Amino acid sequence: MSETKPFLDMLRDSNPGIRRFALQRLGESGDRSAIPALRRATEDPDTGVASQAEKSLYLLLQLSTLGPGPKEKVVSLPGVVGGQVADIFEVEPLQECGKQLLRPFAARLARDLEGADLELACASARALGKIGLSDFVPELVSAMNLEDRRQDCAYALTATESAEAREALLALLDSKSKTTIRLGIYVLSGDRSLDVTQRLSSLLYHPDADVRTDAAFAIGQTGDPTLASKLPRLLDDKSNLVVIRALSALQKLEFPDLPGILLARIPAARDDRLRATLVGALEGAEASADVIAALERALQDPDTRVRANAVEVAGSLSLPRDRKHALLSRVQQDRNNRVLANLAVAMGPIDTVYSLKLMSEMLNSSDKWERASAVYAAGFIREERVGLWLSNIFMFEEDPDVLRNTVTSLSRFRGEAICEQLVKALRHHHPAVRSGAARVLGSIGERVGREALLQALENESDPGVIEDQLAALGKLCDASHIGPISARLKEGCPRIQARALEALEQIGSVEILPHVEPFLSSLDPRVKCHSARALWKLGQLDVVTVLGGMLQSANRDETYAAVCALGELGVALECLSDIRHFYLLASALRARLRDAGTWTDSVEEHSASWLRIQELLDTEQPVSSIYSGRYPEAINTLQGQLQSKPESSSANFLVGDLYRRLGNLELARKHMETCRKSEPRFVNLDLHMASVCQAQDDTKGSIQHYLAAVRSKVRIADELIDAAYQLLARDRIGDASLLLKALVQQVPIDSRLHYKVGKQLLNHGLHEDALGHLFKALLADPKDARVLHQLAVLMAKLDQKMVLKKLAGWVEELVGPDDPLAKQIVSLMNQERPKDRAQPSRPRAGQQQRDSLD
């Protein structure tokens, strides 16, 4: 709801263009709670706004009907081993498992349904609807008795599979309150069940015109042609709005007698809006003599809406080119912007030159709405030159309403040339142009604009433009582009951080984990919840605990954000069949079920492993003394044990650590070195020894042990990788994916690793190794000028002048001759290479004696 609130506020704007824009975005949002506002907007006095409201309302109503649709019980997850599909997940048990994780927090939401905070109560109702637990239907039904939150509770009940919920919703249609009846119609629109359609049919006779209007609209949404026969009687209704909705429903249900009804009623219609609707309803009719005659009269009608609709219908008729041209030529002298825009669209297929000329004249008008109509009409003429013409408008148009229509129209075009024009628009001085170009590039989905967007993101400073660029990149990028997007997480602006987290969530690969996890501790509630939602989709089930803690917060904004986020977690559970985006979540839920005993796996016994644990926990071991801080007592006990077992690794480590804490560094080092002989890959041991060496001013020894700790970490990661391969060999793909997630958390995958390592090796004079890594970095991204710059530095050191010259030309072509990187390479070409001093030969990195570090 928070995402759609700005657009709901825009519906009160006096500018019809802004209202149409808001309605369009609301229709795309998928937020069914906006349906009542859209329904009210269908009564807008501006026909264009009312028409857009109907389209948006239709979109939202198609998203869901009463109760969830049929569920896919079994989903095959990717991975074929030995010719058989590996890992078959049953979706329903996993969904139930996830809902049970959310259940304790849903109970808290249910308690807030009748609370004093209305906004929080409504948000709780929406969240419960998204979670979809039937346990809380009684609380939702009870709260629905409160008028100020009835709407949200009703929509929440539509998401539950409960007879009690359905009965409560059907009872809305039997209410004596007009407002309650209308709400019942909204939430049940599109339901084709007999008990619903019978009630809707009876409401066509209701004494209130608004109820009859809504009932007609709802019947049209059912798509059931057998109900069409109940609507013609409404065409004689005293309310023009009832007549208009009945006509719309008859069109959707494809009523066969509709053209004859329309032709009979158009001449008698005195209301301009009704007459315009009757003419517009002829769209799709056969081009009979009666229809053409009616259109000829409508094209001369004094009302602009009637003429505009007549032009649109004439353009849709199946007529020979010359006859259609003659029919449309009747309005060529019309000066109304709607009529001219529709004429340009209608003439496009039969006379493109005239259509472009007409739009060009409108575009040069001083009236912004003529210009806005021109660019809107251009979106319906699918020719590349029209798309190029639209993209050029970005270069000189300043009015935001015209620019918005330009963005909408451009999103319907495809082509490399159009993308190139949009790339230029990313550098426009006007923020609205840069934002529009970013949105269009994202909606087009062409990879051509991805690199330009990434580059623009680095240089952009306007927060609104950055948000649109991140949203576009979320649609276009993959895991190799995580770095530039995650860089924006360092911004101080929570809005930008939240948008960057959304973009990473859309990428969805396991590599985003190290970038997203830190923001689970963000002080901004919105950022924190975006992080939780992304991590939940990656199988981090414990984020529910974090959100649960936010529910207890004294900060209302934090509580509200947590409520909304919990609802989004419930939405993700309904999408588990989308294995491309929710595989890790499904794997984690299956692992949770297995741990609970639903699935059991054979456990191999390791008979020798527990003996060392027994040794550590032996009653003579001083573990309790260490916990209580009695170090001397613990040392005496350990020394006694070492007399009988001088090579005991556990005793040597513990006594060495105690001596370290007490400052006896010599004895600490002695015992730790003894332990290291039997435990060479003990990370904590090497870290302790490094700190002891540092305290003894042994810098070399300290570095050696720190390096050994890093090497141990890498080898442990190698063991985890081997374990993951073993799981894959046993067709346990879900478990292997979770192990991969754990690996990425421990050892993040950096797509620019070769570049960073190559640069470091170059700085330290390890030229041959640096060259190998920089070459791989160049293969990964041939357009990265920074990689080329490092290669140029290396070629200068190796005195490879021909290669250096080619690199200089390459960089200059990418970033221009005035870029600092290009200038630095030119200076390298002009420098004399100093004579190298004789250096002793050394083994390559990776071939040195590792024993010295162990």
Side-chain angles (χ1 to χ4, degrees), residues 307-335:
R307 300 199 303 275
N309 285 357
V311 170
E312 189 173 358
V313 173
S316 69
L317 293 180
S318 298
L319 283 173
R321 176 175 176 175
D322 54 344
R323 289 189 63 191
K324 184 180 290 189
H325 195 288
L327 183 61
L328 293 171
S329 64
R330 295 171 178 268
V331 290
Q332 286 184 355
Q333 304 304 316
D334 203 309
R335 298 318 308 161

Side-chain angles (χ1 to χ4, degrees), residues 201-218:
S201 299
S202 66
L203 290 174
L204 295 175
Y205 297 89
H206 196 277
D208 190 277
D210 290 334
V211 174
R212 297 197 301 275
T213 300
D214 294 340
F217 181 83

Side-chain angles (χ1 to χ4, degrees), residues 505-518:
E505 180 186 333
Q506 282 185 283
I507 293 174
S509 63
V510 71
E511 294 99 310
I512 73 170
L513 268 171
H515 303 282
V516 175
E517 268 190 317

